[in-house]
């Protein structure tokens, strides 16, 4: 079972602000999701290899080649605030 | 205050080594240091929606190489995970790292005969760089500026077990690690520029106690000196806290180099909850034995092996061998010289003596000067053949370092050949004897050690060119007259 406290913690980590109503709603929904996982756990997986990825693909690489980027001006256009070619952010 | 309880120090280190690839770990943006800010970025490393990371093969190969050099097991299966935290240096709000299936595990290195275990090595991407406007450090700034050139530069994180038991040993460990990654050419190992970074975990416990004390993490260690000093400070602080009824809090502390203290960092401790999960955008790694074998074959001779070879094969002392091995530049130079001469001892002496002194004084590296292994060996041969004296060689070596060229030519052009002609030297011997009646008296009264004074004076008189053996012979003959 998930508690309201755990939902509050998850929300805080995700930088989400939840009202009381939402907290209760998500607590209930999270609990249901976890119940479903518990149901999956009942399947016998003794001889099944663990899976790290859904696609049967492995070892996809690129060669170590660098390309000169020329998108600085364009990319900085997307910055809410810019100064001397830097992204400007609030004080940490 | 008298301390009744003796404490034991327990240290573990996390070292981040920037990998020397041309492009970033998951995209083809360049990694060159010191470029114009935000000039080496692309939609992938900036975390634009819809982009996909693709792993740089070279990073995996370097990670395996480092793992082999550090006596690790190389994983057959490995994967990447997402580590979540919010900070402006991380444009994706996630860092692609490795959590429970790192590429290398269970290694070790030896520090003065003691085994320091390495828990793991994993691959990850570096974050960007924050510049704090107002230049008053993190606390005084009104806003921050971000440069994302470093975002996505490949890192190897090398995590030790808590096997280190003194601040000095911690420094030895990082020095050795740095030397190894430099030998491998995986990382250039510059602590000041941040291509090698180190965080330390330290705790204390009464001797004999099994449970570990509460550990504190120290950050901002930009030099070997800072590493050792910060740990010494932190050990003292923890003992003081405990002995005065205080408690150690698990926290991250920042080393303030100018003040020589550590300060509590309040910001990050609220959420060490990184919520790792497998990176869905990167397929798994399967590393077969053949690949590992191929990489093992490219392993260069490592510092410990080199040291042993110098001691066993060239007759260097343990100390001399260690000094030369400590710098890959010196070791390479020495190895090249060894191919040309059998006088290893002399080559080592010049490298550790006059050459190192000159480099230190002028803040230069061996690669910055014009001396070559060939010109050094040529000069050593001239000394061994008796063509030039050691005193003259000390002058020639400076010229070889500054202007380059050949020792033989300098000797010919400046007429620096040793004078063995007795007639010429006798003149100088007689002159010096005449000018120093007091010393002559001493010699004749039995204080024969003043001969050193005479040889020096006669050398001076002949501008360092006289053959010392001839000086000795002639002087003694004169005294017996």
């Amino acid at each position: 079972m998930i508690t309201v406290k755990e939902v509050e913690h998850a929300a805080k980590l995700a930088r989400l602000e939840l009202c009381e109503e939402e907290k209760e709603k998500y607590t209930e929904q999270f609990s249901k999701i976890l119940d479903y996982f518990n149901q999956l756990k009942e399947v016998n997986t003794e001889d099944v290899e663990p899976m790290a990825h859904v696609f049967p693909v492995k070892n996809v690489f690129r060669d170590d080649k660098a390309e000169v980027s020329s998108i600085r001006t364009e990319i900085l256009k997307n910055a809410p605030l810019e100064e001397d070619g830097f992204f400007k952010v609030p004080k940490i | 205050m008298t301390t009744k309880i003796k404490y034991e120090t327990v240290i573990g280190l996390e070292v981040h080594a920037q990998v020397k690839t041309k492009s970033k770990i998951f995209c083809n943006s360049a990694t060159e240091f010191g470029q114009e800010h935000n000039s080496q970025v692309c939609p992938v490393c900036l975390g634009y929606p819809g982009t996909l990371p693709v792993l740089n093969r070279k990073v995996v190969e370097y990670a395996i190489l480092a793992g082999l050099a550090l006596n690790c097991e190389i994983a057959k299966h490995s994967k990447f995970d997402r580590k979540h935290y919010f900070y402006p240096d991380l444009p994706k709000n996630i860092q692609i790292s490795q959590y429970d299936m790192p590429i290398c595990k269970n290694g070790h290195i030896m520090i003065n005969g003691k085994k320091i275990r390495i828990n793991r090595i994993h691959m990850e991407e570096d974050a960007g760089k924050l510049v704090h406007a107002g230049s008053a450090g993190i606390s005084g700034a009104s806003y921050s500026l971000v440069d994302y050139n470093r975002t996505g530069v490949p890192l190897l994180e090398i995590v030790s077990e808590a096997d280190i038991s003194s601040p000095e040993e911690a420094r030895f460990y990082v020095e050795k690690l740095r030397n190894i990654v430099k030998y491998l050419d995986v990382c250039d190992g510059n602590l000041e520029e941040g291509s090698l970074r180190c965080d330390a975990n330290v705790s204390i416990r009464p001797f004999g106690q099994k449970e570990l004390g509460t550990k504190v993490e120290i950050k901002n260690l930009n030099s070997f000196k800072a590493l050792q000093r910060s740990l010494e400070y932190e050990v003292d602080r923890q003992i003081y806290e405990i002995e005065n009824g205080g408690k150690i809090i698990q926290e991250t502390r920042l080393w303030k180099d100018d003040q020589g203290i550590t300060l509590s960092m309040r910001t990050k401790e609220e959420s060490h909850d990184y919520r790792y999960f497998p990176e869905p955008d990167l397929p798994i790694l399967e590393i077969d034995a053949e690949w590992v074998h191929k990489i093992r074959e490219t392993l260069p001779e490592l510092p410990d092996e080199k040291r042993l070879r110098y001691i066993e094969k060239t007759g260097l002392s343990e100390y001399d061998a260690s000094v030369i091995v400590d710098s890959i530049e010196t070791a390479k130079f020495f190895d090249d010289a060894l191919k040309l001469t059998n006088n290893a001892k002399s080559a080592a002496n010049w490298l550790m003596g006059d050459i190192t002194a000159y480099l230190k004084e002028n803040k230069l590296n061996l690669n910055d000067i014009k001396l070559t292994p060939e010109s050094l060996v040529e000069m050593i041969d001239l000394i061994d053949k008796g063509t030039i004296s050691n005193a003259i060689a000390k002058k020639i070596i400076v010229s070889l370092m500054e202007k380059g060229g050949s020792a033989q030519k300098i000797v010919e052009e400046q007429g620096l050949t040793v004078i063995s002609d007795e007639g010429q030297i006798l003149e100088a011997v007689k002159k010096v004897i005449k000018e120093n009646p007091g010393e002559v008296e001493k010699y004749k009264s039995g204080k024969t050690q003043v001969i050193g004074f005479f040889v020096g004076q006669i050398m001076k008189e002949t501008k360092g060119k006289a053959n010392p053996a001839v000086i000795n012979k002639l002087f003694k003959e004169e005294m017996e007259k």
Side-chain angles (χ1 to χ4, degrees):
Chain A
M1 275 302 282
I2 287 281
T3 63
V4 175
K5 240 185 159 181
E6 282 166 311
V7 172
E8 282 172 348
H9 179 63
K12 192 183 166 194
L13 291 175
R15 303 289 193 274
L16 291 174
E17 205 179 330
L18 303 180
C19 66
E20 291 306 313
E21 227 170 83
E22 286 168 319
K23 282 179 198 170
E24 259 172 51
K25 187 170 149 195
Y26 295 147
T27 306
E28 198 192 314
Q29 288 181 344
F30 280 165
S31 295
K32 276 188 185 159
I33 294 167
L34 287 185
D35 285 346
Y36 177 61
F37 274 96
N38 283 332
Q39 200 182 324
L40 287 177
K41 272 190 191 165
E42 288 166 19
V43 180
N44 183 358
T45 56
E46 200 151 306
D47 294 322
V48 182
E49 265 197 60
M51 183 181 74
H53 202 277
V54 287
F55 296 133
V57 192
K58 59 184 184 198
N59 297 358
V60 178
F61 300 119
R62 25 173 284 275
D63 290 332
D64 182 29
K65 277 184 197 145
E67 255 170 46
V68 183
S69 140
S70 53
I71 57 165
R72 187 174 185 235
T73 331
E74 262 175 275
I75 248 164
L76 280 162
K77 273 187 201 160
N78 294 331
L81 288 168
E82 186 233 318
E83 189 175 299
D84 298 334
F86 287 104
F87 291 82
K88 189 174 172 181
V89 297
K91 176 188 167 179
I92 308 304
Chain B
M1 182 184 62
T2 49
T3 308
K4 290 189 189 102
I5 312 167
K6 288 261 181 262
Y7 292 94
E8 183 188 8
T9 303
V10 180
I11 299 168
L13 295 171
E14 285 169 21
V15 172
H16 286 88
Q18 240 175 38
V19 181
K20 278 171 78 176
T21 50
K22 293 185 187 77
S23 63
K24 293 185 177 180
I25 182 168
F26 299 121
C27 64
N28 53 21
S29 292
T31 55
E32 219 175 308
F33 185 77
Q35 296 300 299
E36 201 178 6
H37 46 265
N38 293 312
S39 65
Q40 301 183 146
V41 293
C42 77
V44 177
C45 55
L46 287 176
Y48 272 58
T51 57
L52 272 180
V54 185
L55 181 58
N56 185 338
R57 183 190 288 107
K58 196 86 202 167
V59 178
V60 182
E61 288 172 350
Y62 276 154
I64 295 172
L65 189 69
L68 292 172
L70 300 175
N71 308 297
C72 291
E73 297 160 16
I74 311 300
K76 287 189 178 72
H77 300 275
S78 184
K79 69 170 169 69
F80 285 93
D81 300 273
R82 291 186 174 184
K83 176 178 176 177
H84 298 75
Y85 65 89
F86 291 104
Y87 208 67
D89 64 3
L90 197 68
K92 291 199 287 276
N93 291 334
I94 57 158
Q95 180 190 26
I96 304 180
S97 180
Q98 297 196 284
Y99 184 51
D100 56 345
M101 291 170 73
I103 185 151
C104 309
K105 277 193 296 191
N106 302 332
H108 70 267
I109 56 174
M110 302 299 290
I111 301 294
N112 298 328
K114 177 180 164 185
K115 190 190 242 186
I116 309 287
R117 288 170 301 155
I118 287 164
N119 174 289
R120 60 188 274 157
I121 304 174
H122 69 251
M123 303 174 280
E124 62 183 26
E125 55 180 344
D126 207 345
K129 227 178 190 168
L130 288 184
V131 181
H132 298 284
S135 72
I138 291 179
S139 47
S142 51
Y143 56 89
S144 299
L145 300 172
V146 199
D147 173 10
Y148 289 119
N149 280 353
R150 208 178 64 183
T151 302
V153 168
L155 294 177
L156 293 182
E157 180 171 335
I158 305 164
V159 185
S160 86
E161 295 287 357
D163 286 349
I164 299 162
S165 43
S166 75
E168 192 189 30
E169 197 169 75
R171 178 168 60 82
F172 288 154
Y173 169 83
V174 180
E175 279 174 352
K176 181 145 193 184
L177 212 55
R178 169 179 180 258
N179 210 17
I180 291 173
V181 293
K182 282 183 81 173
Y183 268 66
L184 298 175
D185 208 21
V186 159
C187 167
D188 60 23
N190 192 326
L191 267 82
E192 287 77 13
E193 278 178 14
S195 62
L196 196 78
R197 302 194 282 271
C198 178
D199 300 332
N201 285 299
V202 55
S203 64
I204 56 164
R205 63 179 166 192
F207 259 107
Q209 181 182 305
K210 255 196 164 174
E211 308 86 69
L212 290 165
T214 306
K215 70 175 177 184
V216 165
E217 186 181 13
I218 314 175
K219 283 186 181 283
N220 196 33
L221 306 173
N222 299 326
S223 67
F224 290 113
K225 222 172 144 189
L227 170 68
Q228 187 172 343
R229 279 175 67 213
S230 68
L231 284 167
E232 282 162 359
Y233 172 87
E234 189 55 28
V235 169
D236 286 346
R237 185 190 73 84
Q238 291 187 12
I239 292 176
Y240 181 86
E241 282 287 337
I242 288 173
E243 302 218 320
N244 288 277
K247 238 185 142 185
I248 307 300
I249 311 158
Q250 184 164 352
E251 61 179 347
T252 301
R253 296 179 71 89
L254 200 67
W255 170 246
K256 293 281 186 187
D257 203 57
D258 48 344
Q259 295 161 268
I261 57 169
T262 62
L263 285 180
S264 182
M265 270 175 88
R266 277 140 291 146
T267 45
K268 246 180 168 178
E269 87 275 17
E270 54 181 12
S271 59
H272 261 284
D273 192 344
Y274 290 129
R275 293 151 292 149
Y276 285 97
F277 68 70
E279 168 58 79
D281 287 345
L282 289 164
I284 60 154
L285 284 174
E286 220 175 85
I287 300 159
D288 59 31
E290 198 191 336
W291 196 15
V292 176
H293 178 73
K294 259 191 197 156
I295 293 170
R296 192 188 287 278
E297 285 189 332
T298 69
L299 262 180
E301 185 181 39
L302 293 169
D304 280 349
E305 297 160 8
K306 216 183 252 301
R307 203 184 61 242
L308 278 181
R309 173 165 65 85
Y310 288 165
I311 295 168
E312 283 165 9
K313 298 265 166 70
T314 70
L316 288 195
S317 69
E318 170 95 40
Y319 176 80
D320 288 359
S322 303
V323 172
I324 289 183
V325 160
D326 266 348
S327 143
I328 181 160
E329 291 85 10
T330 311
K332 267 189 183 157
F333 195 102
F334 183 66
D335 276 335
D336 287 341
L338 281 185
K339 288 175 199 148
L340 306 164
T341 180
N342 291 322
N343 198 343
K345 181 66 193 158
S346 182
N349 283 344
W350 283 104
L351 273 170
M352 297 187 306
D354 291 49
I355 298 170
T356 301
Y358 177 87
L359 295 176
K360 266 197 183 146
E361 198 183 310
N362 296 287
K363 294 197 170 111
L364 291 170
N365 197 297
L366 253 186
N367 303 325
D368 303 329
I369 59 171
K370 298 214 166 102
L371 180 79
T372 62
E374 289 78 15
S375 59
L376 175 66
V377 167
E378 192 191 10
M379 189 188 82
I380 290 171
D381 285 346
L382 290 173
I383 304 169
D384 291 348
K385 279 190 289 188
T387 311
I388 55 170
S389 67
N390 222 48
I392 289 290
K394 275 175 171 295
K395 287 178 191 159
I396 293 177
I397 193 81
V398 176
S399 173
L400 290 177
M401 288 190 282
E402 285 174 354
K403 294 177 205 139
S406 128
Q408 178 73 42
K409 261 201 183 140
I410 295 173
V411 168
E412 281 165 17
E413 279 167 11
Q414 303 183 19
L416 300 173
T417 313
V418 164
I419 311 169
S420 296
D421 176 57
E422 295 198 2
Q424 246 177 303
I425 297 173
L426 188 59
E427 230 173 88
V429 173
K430 281 184 171 163
K431 184 166 179 252
V432 172
I433 288 175
K434 202 177 160 195
E435 282 169 2
N436 298 285
E439 303 297 313
V440 171
E441 219 33 63
K442 276 189 199 163
Y443 184 86
K444 288 193 166 164
S445 69
K447 287 184 182 162
T448 48
Q449 65 269 36
V450 295
I451 192 165
F453 165 79
F454 282 104
V455 174
Q457 289 300 310
I458 295 160
M459 260 305 179
K460 226 177 179 179
E461 197 61 38
T462 58
K463 298 199 171 68
K465 293 190 284 182
N467 183 331
V470 178
I471 296 180
N472 263 296
K473 174 175 163 266
L474 293 178
F475 178 77
K476 282 180 185 160
E477 282 172 10
E478 281 302 302
M479 285 296 109
E480 277 157 24
K481 273 182 188 168

